Amino acid sequence: MRAFSYDRPDSVDAALRGVANQPGTTTEAAVKFVAGGTNLLDLMKADVMRPDRLVDISRLNLDKIEEVDGGGLRLGALARNSDTAYDARVQARYPMLSKAILAGASAQLRNMATNGGNLLQRTRCYYFYDTGTPCNKREPGTGCGALTGVNRIHAILGASDHCIAVHPSDMCVALAALEAIVRVTGPKGERTIPFADFHRLPGDTPHIDSTLAADELITAIDLPAKGFAEHSTYLKVRDRASYAFALVSVAAALELDGQTIRTARLALGGVAHKPWRDPAAEAELAGKPASLENFREASRVLLRDAKGQSHNAFKIGLAERAIVRALAEAAGVEHP
Ligand code: SF4
């Protein structure tokens, strides 16, 4: 592990001064915020990330979960994943989110990891962590070890010739389906980022994970009033029952009028560089009966551009079945 300096500011303003004047996005920054440290410290120990300085924000007053006008909830960026998942309001009004958080990592990690950090965690691509192999995300321009290597866990949607990594978060898949808003602050003041615009596809700059600027801080994540508590679920398919990343996961949320679908939301994890949503698949369900046949058609629409690599083509059929099963669970439709 390389030497770095360390600050622990006692206010948001002081924290922002600590990262001031850095160009680019937070993934490119030499000075990084740290809170739970559950991913960043691993990456530093593996020499994958090499910040010059860490600004420890774990003592800032950003750990509350509060009601907001209009009926939503504001999740503080420094609220722990466990506290968020077990919050009675989250469990009652956003059960899909609670389930997604509890599907991730281990109890010990969830107790340390923060909501803001969950959004900024980095891919678990094997080659990203192995400094002896090429990786455009770790060292731009070196190539992609996964393209010709073992790529069983990699992307089937939205990948590029430069990177086929997937985003590892469960929580973010539910937040995408809920259309959460990310609140950030920086030298130009506060701004909000719709969840769909927060993470990026790799394109030819896979070293950049998100649109958060290097001198900005996530302060909270706003959940809209509509939580789909009646008809939603989070389904995670993985190699073992706990402490494993998703091969495919599905956040499915429906608004039903009797057995007719009024609104559908579908987000997939484990398949792309960001939580994957497709308005065409959701539109396919609107106004139709909640049936297995219609769920299958929506899954076909969603996966129409899916492309397997040498070891992960099985994910396409797996995703199709997972989407149907998640929608059936959300709708209360019997599934064989
Ligand atoms: Fe690196 Fe992305 Fe290729 Fe993995 S898939 S080796 S993260 S460039």
Side-chain angles (χ1 to χ4, degrees), residues 252-270:
L254 298 169
E255 250 186 341
L256 295 178
D257 196 355
Q259 273 309 297
T260 302
I261 299 165
R262 199 181 307 146
T263 311
R265 301 264 183 88
L266 265 180
L268 262 60

Side-chain angles (χ1 to χ4, degrees), residues 123 125 127-128 134-138 143-146 154 162-165 206:
T123 185
C125 170
Y127 303 95
F128 179 63
C135 172
N136 287 323
K137 185 178 280 296
R138 175 172 29 81
C144 172
H154 289 77
H162 301 273
C163 180
I164 55 171

Side-chain angles (χ1 to χ4, degrees), residues 224-246:
K226 196 188 281 190
F228 297 91
E230 301 282 310
H231 298 290
S232 60
T233 195
Y234 183 74
L235 174 68
K236 179 173 181 177
V237 184
R238 48 185 156 174
D239 281 327
R240 56 173 186 259
S242 77
Y243 200 39
F245 293 94

Side-chain angles (χ1 to χ4, degrees), residues 12-253:
V12 168
D13 285 346
L16 289 176
R17 284 196 294 277
V19 298
N21 303 317
Q22 298 191 100
T25 66
T26 189
T27 15
E28 302 161 289
V31 184
K32 300 251 179 231
F33 290 128
V34 65
T38 55
N39 187 211
L40 177 59
L41 297 186
D42 282 350
L43 288 162
M44 289 172 66
K45 285 186 253 181
D47 204 29
V48 173
M49 290 179 74
R50 302 160 190 166
D52 299 333
R53 185 149 56 92
L54 292 186
V55 177
D56 182 348
I57 54 171
S58 59
R59 311 282 171 97
L60 300 185
N61 185 24
L62 296 171
D63 61 350
K64 308 287 182 298
I65 298 176
E66 300 168 309
E67 299 285 343
V68 289
D69 290 346
L73 268 189
R74 178 161 299 159
L75 310 176
L78 295 177
R80 304 287 166 172
N81 284 181
S82 298
D83 293 335
T84 305
Y86 290 121
D87 183 280
R89 293 160 296 180
V90 174
Q91 289 190 313
R93 288 150 57 184
Y94 308 94
M96 174 174 65
L97 176 61
S98 180
K99 199 172 175 188
I101 296 171
L102 294 176
S106 64
Q108 292 90 339
L109 286 166
R110 294 191 296 267
N111 288 342
M112 282 301 293
T114 63
N115 292 335
N118 194 307
L119 271 56
L120 296 174
Q121 65 177 300
R122 308 207 68 195
T123 185
R124 278 8 183 238
C125 170
Y126 329 113
Y127 303 95
F128 179 63
Y129 279 77
D130 181 353
T131 55
T133 60
C135 172
N136 287 323
K137 185 178 280 296
R138 175 172 29 81
E139 304 280 354
T142 57
C144 172
L147 271 171
T148 51
V150 178
N151 46 45
R152 183 171 178 276
I153 64 171
H154 289 77
I156 54 171
L157 287 162
S160 75
D161 292 342
H162 301 273
C163 180
I164 55 171
V166 299
H167 195 265
S169 170
D170 293 291
M171 180 184 190
C172 289
V173 182
L175 290 173
L178 289 167
E179 298 190 342
I181 301 285
V182 186
R183 301 182 69 85
V184 309
T185 187
K188 296 183 192 143
E190 297 192 0
R191 71 180 178 116
T192 56
I193 307 173
F195 206 80
D197 298 335
F198 187 82
H199 296 106
R200 301 177 67 255
L201 291 178
D204 57 6
T205 51
H207 60 291
I208 302 173
D209 290 344
S210 77
T211 53
L212 186 70
D215 54 4
E216 288 182 314
L217 171 69
I218 301 174
T219 56
I221 301 154
D222 281 359
L223 303 180
K226 196 188 281 190
F228 297 91
E230 301 282 310
H231 298 290
S232 60
T233 195
Y234 183 74
L235 174 68
K236 179 173 181 177
V237 184
R238 48 185 156 174
D239 281 327
R240 56 173 186 259
S242 77
Y243 200 39
F245 293 94
L247 290 168
V248 171
S249 69
V250 184

